[in-house]
Amino acid sequence: MGDNNEPLVFAEDIAELASPMPAPWKILIVDDDPDVHAATKLALKGSLIEERTLSFVDAYSAAEGLSLLEQNADFAVALIDVVMESDDSGLNLVQNIRDKLNNHSIRLILRTGQPGYAPESDTIRLYDINDYKTKAELTRIRLFTSVTIAIRSYSQIKQLEAKRDGLKQILAATSELTRLTNGQNFSSVVIKQLCALLKTERECLVCAASHGHNEPSFIVAATGHFSCWLNMPLASLPNERIRTHLTQALNERQHFFHDGVCVYFPGKDNQALAAFVDMPRAISSSEQYLLAVLCSNIAVAYENFQLYRSIEQLAYQDPLVCLPNRNGFVAEIERQMRLNATTPQAVVLVDLDNFTYINSVLDDAYGDDILRAVAQRLCSQLSKSLCIARVSGDVFGILGDASDLTPESIETVFAEPFRLHQNEPLRLSATSGLIILDKTSRHAMEILKNAGVALKQAKHFHRGKTVLFATELADAARDRMQLLSRLRVAFSSERLTLHFQPFIRLHDGAAMGAECLLRWQTAEGQHIPPDHFIPLAEQSGMIVALGDWVIRTALRWRAGLIGRVDDTFRVAINVSLVQLIEDNFVANILHYIHTQGLQGYHVEIELTESMAAHDINSVIQKLKQMREHGISIAIDDFGTGYSSLSILSSLPIDRLKIDRSFVSGDAANQPHFGIAHTVIELATNLQMHTIAEGIETESQRDTLRQNGCLEGQGYLFSRPLDEAQFNQWLAQQ
């Protein structure tokens, strides 16, 4: 409020009053082809989007586009070509915009005339872009649609940013106006202002009340000889005159200017203040007018103070469980770090196991009850000195003395079942990440990140337990991310290759097929083992595109063998469960087989037993579809997984691959290959064939053949070979 009591007018309101002509949306076109610039402008000429026209700025290289964006961040949309100075200059520009310029508002539309350099599914997943189109499919209508969607998204983002900035300004203005942290401070300011206006000694007191509630009114500030009444209930005041004046002002919600000054300040949610100034004289009408204006300002300031407290509560407290939220937890960690406690401090992140599943099976209300019950249990069973917060959906954070935060203390919380609806018992478990704070702990967010690393490690390998953070965990997580990034680069730069290891019929040595194996050799000549990068590809979702490339490459290789091998020669392709559950997996592989002029019996799909952990009915349906087209199905590394015999017998499988651990090494010394013999008998009973991996000696081959194993692969016959080496191997057979 200004000195003349006029309300503040925000910039947004001024804009509405002035109603100026809206500025056009600025569109940046980044493409090395001038014709594309001209065609784009022509296609969008005269377009009106959200009642605003378009203006265009041209850049003919990624470097020029980045320079323009560095100078002006006011662009709404950038139309970026993928291939310019280099094959991935457009993708690099996207990364620079988001990471280097930290510009997350501008909407990015990638366009390409060479989609093979950046496959659409990978690009959409890996890069923060709004759309990705080939230039051929961007008709005028589609271009207009894509730009319109991008501009609307940009407009919404800018509105959200404006609202966020406005909230920060409101918080800053309220803090500056009141300079308060609690109600007593506010009341002290009221006393100071009232006494200053009335030019009297500070003989005054303020009483707080809550209308419509049973809470008693009490004194929240007092000066002079009233100071001894601070925090006293209004009903207990020894001075009847003052008690009566304050009670009357609160009940009738108005000022009284006789026998002293008693003024009333309404607030939010039926909260109110009343102040009494013990005046030795009657006040003039002029003073009454000035006092009324001052009280009006104080009432507005009081509402602002309450609003600030409400916003602060929302910002730092979780309304569901009435505990600090993530912001509050971070603030408490920072406060604790400033205190430099003499005893070791610890932070724990507690994640409820299977909470998402419980929520989906039951409902959100039941899930909320679980969260409230867990919060109550944490607060009641753990030390009262600990700070407990809800930092995300089903993750609780705990801060305090390390001696109070042990794996055993966390496990104790979940030892007994929880009692929820109709007192029904519900057993819950939790997985936790624990970090001990030390002198190297500098930032609260870094502490939370490291606790999160320990939590992820626990969820992967020690579910239901607590894992203590170690630097090695963060290093390993960083190494995995770097390896995944290198894998993406290797894939896009075609540094991945396939090697082939032949299947041999044991009784006569004939080549029956070959398994294709993915290999990665870095530019420096380093070989990255598949068991290092395949799990990363599966976890990141990259395995879908990678597996699709493997299938197409393997089938193209098999087509190249027509006339050089027997027609029954099959190529075996390892398929991840992540690939198999894709809706279009079967349709795609049938399409690739047809495209290469092959038949279904030329292909074998190798799966691991882990597929039994998925929706088995869906898996069976897809396997049956492939077998109907002649594709054979094999279970790889059989005996190392966890599928049951009942599930195994229901699966449409042609072959069981006996894992190398049952064939070579110590297994070779077992009479008749113990487990391998059992697997062969099992396959025979289920009317399946067997193929053994890891055959290294003639003795192993003879024993397996005598036990009924039909095929084998291993170093006895051949190592995995690249395409040229395999051709030489075939020529020698």
Side-chain angles (χ1 to χ4, degrees):
M1 304 294 290
D3 294 337
N4 60 355
N5 200 30
E6 292 181 354
L8 293 172
V9 181
F10 291 93
E12 186 176 292
D13 301 324
I14 295 173
E16 289 183 4
L17 293 172
S19 300
M21 288 296 293
W25 302 109
K26 293 182 66 175
I27 310 295
L28 177 63
I29 304 173
V30 187
D31 200 298
D32 57 1
D33 187 352
D35 291 340
V36 172
H37 289 255
T40 301
K41 295 175 186 177
L42 181 62
L44 297 175
K45 182 179 180 181
S47 296
L48 193 66
I49 300 176
E50 298 292 311
E51 299 183 356
R52 293 168 66 174
T53 58
L54 307 179
S55 69
F56 301 93
V57 177
D58 300 302
Y60 294 93
S61 67
E64 184 181 1
L66 185 63
S67 176
L68 287 169
L69 287 167
E70 285 176 333
Q71 300 168 27
N72 189 340
D74 208 18
F75 288 97
V77 179
L79 300 165
I80 302 173
D81 187 17
V82 173
V83 181
M84 290 179 285
E85 303 101 304
S86 62
D87 293 344
D88 59 353
S89 55
L91 301 179
N92 291 334
L93 176 58
V94 170
Q95 290 291 87
N96 284 326
I97 291 171
R98 298 308 191 205
D99 299 336
K100 181 180 178 181
L101 301 185
N102 197 29
N103 186 339
H104 297 279
S105 303
I106 185 172
R107 301 294 83 200
L108 305 177
I109 299 175
L110 280 179
R111 303 190 292 182
T112 182
Q114 305 175 55
Y117 284 107
E120 180 177 356
S121 59
D122 283 351
T123 306
I124 289 290
R125 185 180 70 254
L126 301 177
Y127 294 91
D128 180 11
I129 60 176
N130 209 61
D131 204 352
Y132 183 31
K133 299 290 186 184
T134 63
K135 295 178 181 178
E137 67 178 326
L138 268 180
T139 62
R140 181 185 182 281
I141 296 300
R142 289 184 178 177
L143 178 61
F144 176 81
T145 301
S146 187
V147 171
T148 299
I149 292 172
I151 285 177
R152 288 174 178 169
S153 175
Y154 172 80
S155 177
Q156 291 170 356
I157 289 173
K158 297 304 288 186
Q159 289 177 27
L160 289 173
E161 289 179 350
K163 290 178 180 178
R164 181 193 62 199
D165 294 339
L167 179 58
K168 290 180 180 178
Q169 292 173 3
I170 291 172
L171 287 172
T174 304
S175 178
E176 182 66 22
L177 176 66
T178 61
R179 293 180 296 175
L180 302 173
T181 58
N182 57 55
Q184 184 173 346
N185 287 347
F186 184 89
S187 301
S188 299
V189 172
V190 170
I191 290 176
K192 178 181 178 180
Q193 290 180 338
L194 286 172
C195 291
L197 178 65
L198 296 172
K199 298 180 178 61
T200 183
E201 296 295 329
R202 298 178 64 182
E203 298 288 336
C204 180
L205 54 82
V206 175
C207 179
S210 179
H211 294 303
H213 299 279
N214 295 324
E215 301 172 9
S217 304
F218 57 94
I219 306 303
V220 294
T223 59
H225 64 270
F226 299 145
S227 299
C228 59
W229 295 351
L230 185 64
N231 297 324
M232 184 179 292
L234 175 58
S236 302
L237 289 187
N239 187 306
E240 182 180 358
R241 177 175 69 95
I242 297 175
R243 184 175 68 246
T244 300
H245 280 319
L246 286 171
T247 302
Q248 186 178 9
L250 289 170
N251 290 341
E252 299 183 19
R253 307 185 183 190
Q254 61 178 337
H255 310 309
F256 293 98
F257 300 126
H258 59 85
D259 194 15
V261 173
C262 197
V263 287
Y264 174 79
F265 313 108
K268 292 171 59 67
D269 302 324
N270 289 320
Q271 301 294 314
L273 296 177
F276 177 82
V277 182
D278 195 9
M279 288 290 294
R281 59 176 177 82
I283 61 174
S284 65
S285 58
S286 176
E287 286 177 317
Q288 287 189 31
Y289 173 77
L290 293 174
L291 190 60
V293 173
L294 174 62
C295 289
S296 177
N297 285 340
I298 291 175
V300 172
Y302 182 40
E303 287 198 16
N304 287 342
F305 164 74
Q306 290 178 298
L307 177 62
Y308 172 78
R309 295 297 297 272
S310 298
I311 293 173
E312 186 179 40
Q313 188 175 37
L314 287 173
Y316 292 98
Q317 188 175 59
D318 183 271
L320 178 65
V321 297
C322 298
L323 291 174
N325 59 15
R326 184 182 182 88
N327 292 335
F329 193 57
V330 168
E332 185 61 24
I333 294 174
E334 292 174 343
R335 189 186 71 83
Q336 188 63 46
M337 292 169 65
R338 289 193 298 270
L339 291 177
N340 291 320
T342 55
T343 57
Q345 299 293 295
V347 168
V348 177
L349 292 181
V350 181
D351 183 283
L352 303 184
D353 296 333
N354 302 316
F355 179 78
T356 302
Y357 174 76
I358 295 173
N359 237 14
S360 63
V361 171
L362 300 172
D363 55 40
D364 292 343
Y366 193 85
D368 290 348
D369 289 341
I370 291 175
L371 293 173
R372 281 189 283 262
V374 170
Q376 192 277 329
R377 178 82 63 87
L378 288 169
C379 293
S380 63
Q381 291 199 6
L382 296 179
S383 172
K384 302 299 181 185
S385 64
L386 297 173
C387 171
I388 301 173
R390 181 188 175 203
V391 298
S392 65
D394 62 337
V395 178
F396 290 85
I398 310 173
L399 166 69
D401 286 352
S403 59
D404 295 325
L405 281 177
T406 62
E408 293 74 20
S409 65
I410 302 300
E411 290 176 11
T412 300
V413 172
F414 298 91
E416 296 296 325
F418 291 79
R419 300 282 176 176
L420 297 174
H421 295 276
Q422 280 127 19
N423 209 28
E424 293 180 0
L426 174 67
R427 282 206 171 272
L428 294 174
S429 66
T431 304
S432 306
L434 170 66
I435 181 172
I436 306 298
L437 277 59
D438 55 29
K439 300 298 183 182
T440 63
S441 303
R442 298 181 180 275
H443 304 289
M445 295 307 297
E446 180 183 355
I447 291 170
L448 276 184
K449 182 188 74 174
N450 290 337
V453 168
L455 176 59
K456 288 181 180 178
Q457 186 77 2
K459 290 172 69 175
H460 279 301
F461 303 108
H462 306 282
R463 203 163 185 82
K465 302 295 182 180
T466 299
V467 167
L468 177 64
F469 171 79
T471 305
E472 293 78 12
L473 293 180
D475 292 342
R478 184 178 61 253
D479 291 344
R480 287 194 297 270
M481 291 303 298
Q482 290 175 348
L483 186 62
L484 179 59
S485 177
R486 291 170 60 197
L487 176 61
R488 291 192 176 109
V489 173
F491 182 43
S492 62
S493 60
E494 301 181 356
R495 295 211 60 85
L496 301 178
T497 59
L498 289 185
H499 283 207
F500 306 91
Q501 187 174 31
F503 298 143
I504 302 300
R505 191 161 55 200
L506 297 183
H507 78 271
D508 62 3
M512 304 303 295
E515 178 183 8
C516 65
L517 301 166
L518 188 60
R519 294 292 183 261
W520 175 14
Q521 182 178 8
T522 67
E524 297 77 24
Q526 178 188 7
H527 290 274
I528 309 296
D531 58 357
H532 284 194
F533 67 85
I534 292 296
L536 285 178
E538 290 180 328
Q539 293 166 15
S540 67
M542 185 182 174
I543 193 66
V544 175
L546 188 57
D548 190 70
W549 175 84
V550 169
I551 292 172
R552 287 185 283 110
T553 305
L555 294 180
R556 187 165 55 247
W557 173 78
R558 175 59 184 87
L561 296 179
I562 294 176
R564 301 168 56 198
V565 296
D566 190 84
D567 186 54
T568 59
F569 188 96
R570 67 188 189 277
V571 58
I573 304 170
N574 291 279
V575 171
S576 164
L577 177 62
V578 179
Q579 295 172 257
L580 184 64
I581 62 178
E582 287 285 305
D583 292 338
N584 57 353
F585 175 79
V586 175
N588 282 349
I589 195 169
L590 293 176
H591 170 71
Y592 297 147
I593 291 172
H594 175 74
T595 301
Q596 293 297 332
L598 299 173
Q599 300 297 321
Y601 59 80
H602 292 139
V603 182
E604 183 168 88
I605 296 298
E606 291 192 5
L607 302 165
T608 63
E609 291 177 85
S610 62
M611 67 175 178
H614 189 67
D615 178 7
I616 193 64
N617 292 326
S618 173
V619 169
I620 290 174
Q621 184 65 26
K622 291 191 174 185
L623 298 185
K624 284 182 176 179
Q625 289 176 8
M626 287 189 286
R627 289 190 79 202
E628 287 172 359
H629 289 83
I631 300 172
S632 56
I633 309 297
I635 298 296
D636 195 14
D637 303 330
F638 182 75
T640 62
Y642 48 83
S643 60
S644 67
L645 290 180
S646 61
I647 291 178
L648 183 65
S649 62
S650 66
L651 291 171
I653 297 170
D654 299 280
R655 290 180 183 80
L656 296 182
K657 295 194 71 175
I658 304 172
D659 186 69
R660 68 180 61 251
S661 61
F662 305 136
V663 173
S664 57
D666 294 338
N669 299 322
Q670 299 175 5
H672 306 294
F673 285 16
I675 296 177
H677 178 71
T678 301
V679 173
I680 294 169
E681 286 190 337
L682 173 64
T684 302
N685 292 333
L686 295 175
Q687 297 182 336
M688 301 176 187
H689 299 299
T690 51
I691 177 171
E693 297 179 301
I695 299 176
E696 298 175 349
T697 67
E698 292 286 355
S699 175
Q700 293 169 6
R701 178 181 67 173
D702 293 342
T703 303
L704 287 165
R705 185 184 68 242
Q706 292 165 9
N707 278 281
C709 182
L710 298 180
E711 298 179 9
Q713 66 183 116
Y715 286 178
L716 174 64
F717 312 113
S718 172
R719 294 175 177 271
L721 306 170
D722 63 27
E723 187 170 349
Q725 293 169 336
F726 194 90
N727 290 337
Q728 295 176 4
W729 180 87
L730 272 181
Q732 297 170 2
Q733 299 306 302

